[in-house]
Amino acid sequence: MSTPSGFDELIHPSTRLSVVALLAATEWADFPFIRDSLSLSDSALSKQLHTLEEAGYLEIRKEGGGRKRRTKVRLTSHGRTAFEGHVAALRAIVEGAGPAAAPAPATESAAAGTRQQQQRAEAGR
């Protein structure tokens, strides 16, 4: 199966995907909010934000000074488009897998029942 159009290798790693998904739901977000929401360290989040900013997916704004300095982050229109394309590509992958990808719960319970019947028959011999 080929990779669907819109799949974004830069967004795909789980930490960056989580950052972008969180930012897609808001206009601007404060650094501590993102960090705490995703349970990341300051350095781990900074690294991911820097990577996404270099790609043009984020805008980072620093406000204030000294101890009251705040870092705010938002998705750019380019980042939002990339995220939406990536989500669509993931949906296409999942839908392409079809129902045969995972056994249905009824099938699993039926198989368990068959195994129990076989075990009883063997015990009766």
Side-chain angles (χ1 to χ4, degrees):
M1 179 176 163
S2 65
T3 304
S5 174
F7 188 89
D8 192 312
E9 294 285 347
L10 184 72
I11 293 175
H12 190 67
S14 62
T15 302
R16 284 195 288 254
L17 182 57
S18 296
V19 168
V20 174
L22 181 67
L23 292 172
T26 185
E27 183 63 28
W28 286 93
D30 290 330
F31 185 94
F33 172 77
I34 302 167
R35 177 197 62 212
D36 296 344
S37 295
L38 303 177
S39 300
L40 296 171
S41 67
D42 287 356
S43 61
L45 178 57
S46 292
K47 181 180 177 182
Q48 300 307 324
L49 293 180
H50 180 73
T51 299
L52 291 164
E53 182 185 36
E54 280 186 335
Y57 289 2
L58 301 182
E59 177 182 349
I60 299 174
R61 191 178 286 170
K62 301 202 183 258
E63 300 175 345
R67 297 189 69 162
K68 294 192 178 204
R69 188 172 182 133
R70 293 177 57 175
T71 300
K72 299 182 88 161
V73 184
R74 77 175 180 109
L75 276 180
T76 62
S77 60
H78 177 61
R80 191 169 301 278
T81 300
F83 174 67
E84 290 169 357
H86 189 67
V87 169
L90 291 174
R91 285 192 177 122
I93 291 168
V94 171
E95 290 169 2
T107 304
E108 290 175 6
S109 63
T114 302
R115 281 192 299 272
Q116 288 175 349
Q117 288 175 347
Q118 288 173 343
Q119 290 169 349
R120 282 190 212 121
E122 289 175 7
R125 285 184 191 168

